[in-house]
Amino acid sequence: MQLAPYAAQLSSSRGRRFAEEAPTYRSDYQRDRDRIVHSSAFRRLEYKTQVFVNHEGDMFRTRLTHSIEVAQLSRSIARILELNEDLSETIALAHDLGHTPFGHAGQDALNASMKDYGGFEHNLQSLRTVDKLEQSYAEFPGLNLTFESREGILKHCSPKNAKQLGDVGERFLKKQLPSLEAQTVNLADEVAYNNHDVDDGLRSGLINMEQLLDIRLFREQFDLVQKQFPDIQDRRQVHEIIRRMINRQVIDLIDTTRHNLQRLKPGSIDDIRNHTHELAGFSPDMLEMNQELKRFLRKQMYSHFRVHRMSVKATHIIQHLFNAFLDDPRLLSPKYHSIVKQKQAEHGDAGKARAIADYIAGMTDRYAIAEYGKIFNPGELT
Ligand code: MG
């Protein structure tokens, strides 16, 4: 694999928190990716909401299929820009590991419950998952990923949290940027969810074709497809439009980023980190089209009454589980009860609350619903 000088190179990696021998037949970034794929948090993404709760239908995206789509886009982009494809894939597969059940409604509810104990933020929780919560390896806690993978996972961070995070927190205090691999994965994430939310939105009937014809990014591709295939209908038509929308955005992202790189000629990953602004990006025209699409999705889809009803239910479940476990940790299974007791002994009430938040954040949608039933529904078996 030919790497550009500004790509993440293993020879300049800042390494792992706990020193390990280099792998035999893989690179260190491939090893990071493999550890993520084999983690239990990764498997649970299958039953976590992206926009639709898992039981709403088998055809919708889940956090797992979303993460795989982000990895696919990220790898294509990395390969063309001569970035480190393995690192891009690793960051993409890990980027949503810290999500609670029930998507953003779940995250907001858990954040509100944790307000007196340092709050809850899913992106920070993704890092916490790979650094601490996965417990599978004999010699270290977490997955002991390389600095570059951890740096890429942590997209944003308050100065207060950054101070407690050590090396990966530093850049938020020094106002530095992450690798280009991390920057492009972040944009690939946006491309993936904007487009698959249009697809899932149409499939579910929350939005319709007529509304989308007012959105320029959609309209342009719709017109091209109509012209070329006047008789195409239904799902084939939708897929044909969306695949072209994705292609258009990815090509714009590659061309714009390449143009920035040619103009500024960064000579190393540290040049990327020390630059005043991100070198990965869309053209102004594409940025405007993306924003129009996002505004549309926010208004028509994410605030649709059916999504809102599910969000209210999700909030109710998360709040009640949190309060119940906080008031009476004996409701937890002995395994989690002992973790909560230990964290309380070490860090007081904040430690107790954090351990409960970790437990709830790790739940899948269906597990959270089942736990709620077992605790609050007198007719259900425990
Ligand atoms: Mg995502």
Side-chain angles (χ1 to χ4, degrees):
M1 188 161 51
Q2 162 86 25
L3 292 184
Y6 46 77
Q9 321 263 354
L10 276 171
S11 55
S12 59
S13 170
R14 291 171 65 179
R16 300 178 188 277
R17 292 196 299 164
F18 301 88
E20 289 183 63
E21 299 246 331
T24 314
Y25 293 119
R26 296 175 288 177
S27 76
D28 273 291
Y29 298 137
Q30 287 173 331
R31 176 188 259 174
D32 282 2
R33 175 205 55 207
D34 298 347
R35 284 185 180 173
I36 287 156
V37 170
H38 289 271
S39 70
S40 89
F42 185 73
R43 287 193 293 281
R44 279 176 275 137
L45 293 177
E46 183 174 3
Y47 298 104
K48 288 194 178 203
T49 295
Q50 183 66 28
V51 172
F52 296 90
V53 176
N54 189 255
H55 63 249
E56 290 182 274
D58 292 347
M59 301 290 265
F60 300 122
R61 268 70 176 187
T62 66
R63 288 245 171 245
L64 180 65
T65 64
H66 162 70
S67 300
I68 294 169
E69 287 184 31
V70 177
Q72 180 273 316
L73 296 174
S74 302
R75 288 180 56 194
S76 297
I77 296 163
R79 189 173 291 203
I80 294 161
L81 294 175
E82 296 182 346
L83 300 175
N84 198 311
E85 198 179 319
D86 298 327
L87 177 62
S88 291
E89 186 181 17
T90 302
I91 297 169
L93 293 176
H95 86 282
D96 272 351
L97 287 179
H99 262 288
T100 60
F102 312 121
H104 283 278
Q107 124 96 30
D108 292 347
L110 198 52
N111 187 30
S113 295
M114 285 293 287
K115 82 175 189 317
D116 295 334
Y117 310 104
F120 177 89
E121 211 280 307
H122 66 82
N123 183 237
L124 194 59
Q125 191 72 6
S126 296
L127 183 69
R128 194 171 158 75
T129 304
V130 298
D131 276 357
K132 297 197 171 128
L133 300 180
E134 281 290 318
Q135 294 286 343
S136 303
Y137 296 87
E139 291 176 55
F140 43 80
L143 305 179
N144 196 31
L145 302 183
T146 60
F147 174 85
E148 292 73 26
S149 296
R150 297 170 62 235
E151 171 196 47
I153 291 169
L154 191 64
K155 285 191 274 197
H156 34 79
C157 186
S158 68
K160 190 170 153 252
N161 286 330
K163 277 182 202 143
Q164 294 168 2
L165 286 174
D167 56 2
V168 274
E170 268 171 33
R171 78 176 169 91
F172 297 95
L173 304 171
K174 294 182 179 165
K175 305 225 178 305
Q176 288 172 322
L177 297 166
S179 66
L180 209 53
E181 285 80 356
Q183 294 179 27
T184 47
V185 171
N186 197 14
L187 296 172
D189 182 24
E190 239 180 74
V191 173
Y193 66 68
N194 281 331
N195 290 285
H196 67 47
D197 287 355
V198 170
D199 189 32
D200 284 352
L202 285 169
R203 191 188 297 278
S204 65
L206 295 184
I207 55 176
N208 61 50
M209 207 70 141
E210 225 173 15
Q211 295 171 313
L212 279 163
L213 292 179
D214 288 337
I215 307 303
R216 192 152 63 98
L217 191 62
F218 188 91
R219 179 69 192 230
E220 278 182 9
Q221 303 310 318
F222 173 87
D223 287 345
L224 290 172
V225 172
Q226 275 301 100
K227 216 165 143 197
Q228 208 179 340
F229 305 101
D231 298 327
I232 196 171
Q233 278 183 343
D234 304 328
R235 291 307 308 171
R236 285 179 87 180
Q237 183 193 33
V238 170
H239 189 263
E240 190 60 38
I241 296 167
I242 291 174
R243 78 161 186 91
R244 288 164 186 242
M245 283 166 61
I246 296 173
N247 198 46
R248 171 103 167 71
Q249 287 165 286
V250 170
I251 288 176
D252 182 277
L253 166 59
I254 290 168
D255 289 346
T256 310
T257 306
R258 183 141 58 188
H259 176 75
N260 292 340
L261 290 165
Q262 280 162 355
R263 199 162 47 91
L264 293 157
K265 298 193 176 27
S268 69
I269 188 170
D270 282 329
D271 285 353
I272 300 284
R273 287 178 175 138
N274 291 322
H275 202 72
T276 47
H277 59 271
E278 299 209 348
L279 295 187
F282 296 106
S283 65
D285 190 43
M286 182 53 77
L287 208 57
E288 210 180 289
M289 286 201 282
N290 279 344
Q291 278 159 358
E292 184 193 33
L293 176 60
K294 274 190 199 177
R295 277 196 302 274
F296 168 80
L297 287 170
R298 212 174 304 132
K299 186 154 174 261
Q300 303 299 340
M301 189 159 147
Y302 309 142
S303 349
H304 194 284
F305 86 96
R306 274 165 54 198
V307 175
H308 181 63
R309 279 184 180 181
M310 196 48 95
S311 300
V312 169
K313 265 191 262 191
T315 306
H316 179 89
I317 292 172
I318 299 284
Q319 276 174 352
H320 283 77
L321 283 179
F322 184 87
N323 291 338
F325 293 143
L326 196 71
D327 288 347
D328 184 0
R330 286 183 312 145
L331 289 170
L332 293 158
S333 67
K335 180 184 155 198
Y336 283 102
H337 187 199
S338 77
I339 294 172
V340 168
K341 271 199 292 196
Q342 188 198 335
K343 295 292 170 195
Q344 187 170 21
E346 286 168 13
H347 307 288
D349 284 348
K352 174 186 176 189
R354 182 63 57 194
I356 291 167
D358 285 340
Y359 178 52
I360 292 175
M363 292 179 182
T364 59
D365 299 346
R366 59 185 191 176
Y367 187 87
I369 293 167
E371 277 289 271
Y372 181 87
K374 285 175 190 169
I375 294 174
F376 295 107
N377 182 355
E380 259 180 65
L381 295 174
T382 56

